[in-house]
Amino acid sequence: MAIRNIVKQGDPCLEKVCRPVTEFNARLHCLLDDMVETLAQAEGAGLAAPQVGIVRRVAVIIDGEGGYIELVNPVITREEGIQEGPEGCLSVPGRYGIVDRPMNVTVQYQDRFGAEHTIDLEEFLARAACHEIDHLDGKLYVRLVKEYLNPEDLAE
Ligand code: CO
């Protein structure tokens, strides 16, 4: 496994619509292993493949219990409610903004072996899934920010 470099806002990879994964091979498994390691080291909530320069529909989010959920070709099939809260991005370091997201989502995805899964996520994990899946469509959260926060305010 290896830590991969996280590209920053302005990198063209972050503006591309990512291609679906069609081969669930060792190369994908290596990418997922590296993304988990990179996310863990960065202490983030989620990481999308374009953030490490790979324009494929792959993302990793925390599972809320100390582990990670690997999302290959994820699609949001249900959105319910709304939550307003702070959001940041490893590709936009040092900034946090208030963004509205659904309170609950259902995500259909494949695992690293290609098996289909459906998961219901709420609150922070729903926010993380929406943020990462937006990355796969070349969208950064900054386009949704209603107001930026002072980092000092967040630390309180
Ligand atoms: Co992000």
Side-chain angles (χ1 to χ4, degrees), residues 25-102:
N25 54 17
R27 195 179 171 84
L28 173 68
H29 297 177
C30 176
L31 172 64
L32 282 162
D33 289 343
D34 288 355
M35 285 175 62
V36 167
E37 194 176 351
T38 303
L39 178 58
Q41 189 201 247
E43 297 180 332
L47 184 67
Q51 292 182 277
V52 294
I54 306 292
V55 188
R56 290 281 181 178
R57 304 192 78 80
V58 176
V60 174
I61 61 170
I62 56 170
D63 69 358
E65 298 174 345
Y68 298 91
I69 307 171
E70 299 175 351
L71 302 169
V72 179
N73 299 327
V75 178
I76 293 173
T77 58
R78 181 190 64 105
E79 296 185 3
E80 210 171 280
I82 191 163
Q83 58 173 318
E84 181 185 73
E87 207 164 303
C89 179
L90 294 172
S91 293
V92 190
R95 298 201 88 181
Y96 299 91
I98 299 293
V99 174
D100 285 343
R101 297 287 190 183

Side-chain angles (χ1 to χ4, degrees), residues 46 51 88-91 131-132 135 140-141:
Q51 292 182 277
C89 179
L90 294 172
S91 293
H131 178 115
E132 300 314 325
H135 271 300
L140 286 182
Y141 87 103

